[in-house]
Amino acid sequence: MAWTDTIILKSPAEIDTMRRAGEIVAGCHDLASKLIRVGATTGEIDAAVEGYIRSQGAVPSFKGYMDYPAAACISVNEEVVHGIPGSRVIRDGDIVGFDIGALWQGYHADAARTFAVGNISEEARRLMQVTREALQAGIEQARVGNRLSDISHAVQEHAEAAGFSVVRNLVGHGIGQNLHEKPQVPNFGPPGRGPRLRAGMVLALEPMVNVGVPDVYTRKDRWTIVTLDGKLSAHYEQTVAITDNGPEVLTGPLHTGFDGETIG
Ligand code: CO
């Protein structure tokens, strides 16, 4: 990935612009929560969301990024992230990771949710809940004066206390005029390491939590990341601005993945 060299701090005016980008992303998740249903194809969901982004005067952040072919990443069950939308039909019992970015007036916002379709297993429900809680625990640490790995550690502790594992090969990231900026934000590690957090940093926090082993591989399509053991994975992501008044989530309330319900 084309990481920039330094952590770029954003001014209050820049954060205002990113707040609007974040609202558009939140609108995408509201739309996805309605469209992700038994019988829908991932391709038609992607097309509808791309239309929504463009109707808002924004541009999908992912399309064309390193030649990625779609607006959204839609990753079902054992797919962790970067599933390419297409002819796949959503079925009862699936959990569907939906990840979208929007570029508005030169600034990106990026967020993901995992949605439940019909009757999912108890294990899937618990995985989704723990992954949401792990993200919230990470956001809680996104405070001026903390160190970057305080976020990482909080995410890992919460996921592993529940008996799940965190993916290590993929990380969260700074975000702004570039989709991916410094710093990388791992979802694991000891606390108290890395740069001190400062007001004006904007981070995309994105735990990927697995029922089984943390290991993943990339399918032959060169994008879709899948769990090595074929067990379920969940992914939630928020774009978060670090302010003197604490963390500010720019990408809307967190959908639980059930019936359009949101929290926070
Ligand atoms: Co991201």
Side-chain angles (χ1 to χ4, degrees), residues 81-263:
V81 286
H82 301 172
I84 302 173
S87 57
R88 181 170 184 157
V89 178
I90 306 283
R91 302 193 328 187
D92 184 67
D94 284 345
I95 64 170
V96 180
F98 177 85
D99 188 354
I100 191 76
L103 174 66
W104 163 256
Q105 292 187 358
Y107 290 83
H108 296 271
D110 178 12
R113 310 282 186 258
T114 300
F115 293 101
V117 180
N119 283 314
I120 66 168
S121 67
E122 176 56 25
E123 181 175 68
R125 191 200 59 73
R126 199 169 70 86
L127 175 70
M128 290 169 59
Q129 178 171 340
V130 167
T131 309
R132 280 195 303 278
E133 291 167 351
L135 172 57
Q136 305 286 43
I139 292 170
E140 189 52 37
Q141 295 300 316
R143 292 183 181 278
V144 172
N146 277 1
R147 303 279 286 268
L148 182 69
S149 82
D150 294 336
I151 297 171
S152 312
H153 185 70
V155 170
Q156 179 179 24
E157 283 286 286
H158 190 80
E160 292 185 354
F164 297 136
S165 67
V166 291
V167 173
R168 289 144 193 271
N169 300 44
L170 296 144
V171 295
H173 50 95
I175 182 168
Q177 290 181 272
N178 310 285
L179 176 61
H180 295 137
E181 298 181 358
K182 275 205 171 173
Q184 295 194 26
V185 189
N187 294 301
F188 64 95
R193 310 284 174 87
R196 259 191 214 289
L197 302 180
R198 296 177 57 188
M201 290 182 179
V202 184
L203 304 176
L205 305 183
E206 49 177 321
M208 290 142 271
V209 178
N210 296 352
V211 162
V213 298
D215 311 78
V216 298
Y217 69 95
T218 307
R219 284 212 187 114
K220 286 203 193 76
D221 65 14
R222 292 174 46 253
W223 279 103
T224 314
I225 311 274
V226 187
T227 58
L228 191 62
D229 59 13
K231 295 186 179 175
L232 293 178
S233 185
H235 178 216
Y236 290 83
E237 175 176 26
Q238 294 281 41
T239 296
V240 181
I242 297 172
T243 79
D244 287 319
N245 301 317
E248 181 186 346
V249 173
L250 303 181
T251 37
L254 207 49
H255 296 70
T256 63
F258 295 93
D259 296 327
E261 179 193 13
T262 56
I263 49 172

